[in-house]
């Protein structure tokens, strides 16, 4: 092969490798959290922490029912009639989350919590505190907050929390290694 | 390095880059939609539209309960006894979809719909119409249609809809950037 | 370009391609199975088998409620009081799994099973046996087993089953093409 030709092939190859580098997934996990039950929220944080321990960047997008899990029972917000009504019906923070199964009028969640304690599994509240320390970011879906009538003032203090639209979420998972919706 | 050796290295590298190009994920989102509740179906279409707005190719695979969301209440199909029975029990189109939570004998879905309207969020029906315009494709699982006794004749008119098996779905998500099951 | 420079560019490019090869997703599907309802467990195995038929490596991670689907009704395990209590409440194997919808006091699962048989769709038990033959691996979450009080001695005989922590699961999906949580 002539030097000239090799130069061209090399330049062409550099371009193709650059394109590939721009397309390959980043070390990044995004979790869409929608269900907002105790068991699913625990699962989401256990996986988030597992991935963070592997040095993956982790972004959680809280939407629909799951936004109610971020309410702080000690905080109040001024609301209109419809929002207040929704506020009554939605769980006020993690301690009120139902189980997706075996709810049994509230006995189920207490049983799971006590068995988890017995087996020295961290509680949801401890998992969330650790997620904050590990740099796991929580993005709250603004549209869901509007629909559910949930205000920023009533949400928990979390070190890496912001309020975003669906577009931001799509941008986030675009190059993430994995993105789940649970 | 001798020219000869460089030639060989270059040829070898071109092969490796070609292999990589065949493996890297495409700008493509596939959504497996199974649950068929109002809230989950809305979420699926909001994400589909968000991804389509980012110029991602979007394929939705409707399976199990979700196939009932594609029924058109104005259309009828001839069915055997068992299929007719299933047909009665499954929701007849989007307006009859239950919520996954706070169903409250049908009040929940109406509340969510009216709050969404209040906040100028598009209704599920509007989202679906827009998805059709944006080129989002809907693939209906033929096995689910068989099991649920749902016939092609009773499904909505959607510009990009076809009927496929699980194998086609696996082929679709094989190189998709993300694939969720909701 | 001088030979010297070309040599350097080539060496640099080889390094970049090596990096990319280490990052690109493998032909591998991981499924997080959590829900443990009849319909979701069937869906998980149908997809697992579909992917295996495409020569994908398939790993299933059974966690939370889904671990109960792996119980063998003919096997017994010695348990403490709390574990025995949980054991009563959780389904004892696949034949006892509820549907996520239309449970109707146990009529729903029987209807689905008979309709599936009618349409010559494999039963869950047949799907699982085939998954075993196709080399689909099942990993059972040890933390869930602890919390639910489920013992190894009471689980089904499956050719490729082991017991792992969440860390192992994160390591598994790290380079998987797709990973779902259902």
């Amino acid at each position: 092969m002539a030097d000239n030709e090799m130069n061209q092939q090399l330049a062409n190859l550099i371009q193709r490798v650059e394109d590939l580098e721009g397309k390959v997934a980043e070390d990044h996990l995004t979790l869409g959290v929608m269900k907002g039950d105790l068991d699913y929220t625990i699962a989401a944080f256990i996986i988030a922490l597992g991935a963070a321990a592997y040095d993956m960047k982790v972004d959680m997008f809280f939407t629909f029912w799951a936004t109610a899990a971020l309410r702080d029972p000690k905080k109040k917000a001024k609301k209109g009639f419809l929002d207040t009504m929704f506020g009554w019906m939605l769980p006020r923070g993690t301690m009120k989350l139902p189980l997706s199964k075996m709810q049994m009028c509230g006995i189920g969640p207490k049983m799971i919590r006590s068995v988890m304690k017995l087996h020295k599994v961290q509680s949801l509240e401890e998992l969330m505190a650790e997620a904050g320390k590990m740099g796991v970011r929580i993005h709250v879906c603004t549209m869901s907050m509007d629909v559910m009538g949930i205000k920023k003032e009533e949400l928990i203090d979390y070190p890496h929390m912001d309020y975003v639209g669906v577009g931001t979420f799509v941008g986030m998972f675009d190059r993430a290694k994995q993105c789940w919706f649970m």
Side-chain angles (χ1 to χ4, degrees), chain A residues 38 42 46 99 102 104 106-124 126-127:
Chain A
L38 180 63
I42 288 173
I46 287 178
L99 275 181
M102 301 213 313
M104 303 183 298
I107 300 173
K110 283 194 187 115
M111 267 184 71
I112 288 280
R113 281 182 180 270
S114 72
V115 181
M116 282 177 69
K117 205 172 173 184
L118 200 75
H119 289 286
K120 301 197 193 322
V121 182
Q122 288 177 299
S123 72
L124 175 54
E126 288 164 345
L127 289 168

Side-chain angles (χ1 to χ4, degrees), chain A residues 42-76:
Chain A
I42 288 173
F45 277 99
I46 287 178
I47 285 158
L49 283 171
Y54 269 63
D55 285 323
M56 270 186 164
K57 199 171 93 179
V58 183
D59 285 281
M60 300 175 92
F61 180 69
F62 274 68
T63 181
F64 258 87
W65 312 108
T67 49
L70 300 174
R71 293 170 85 192
D72 183 332
K74 295 185 300 294
K75 295 188 186 175
K76 286 208 169 162

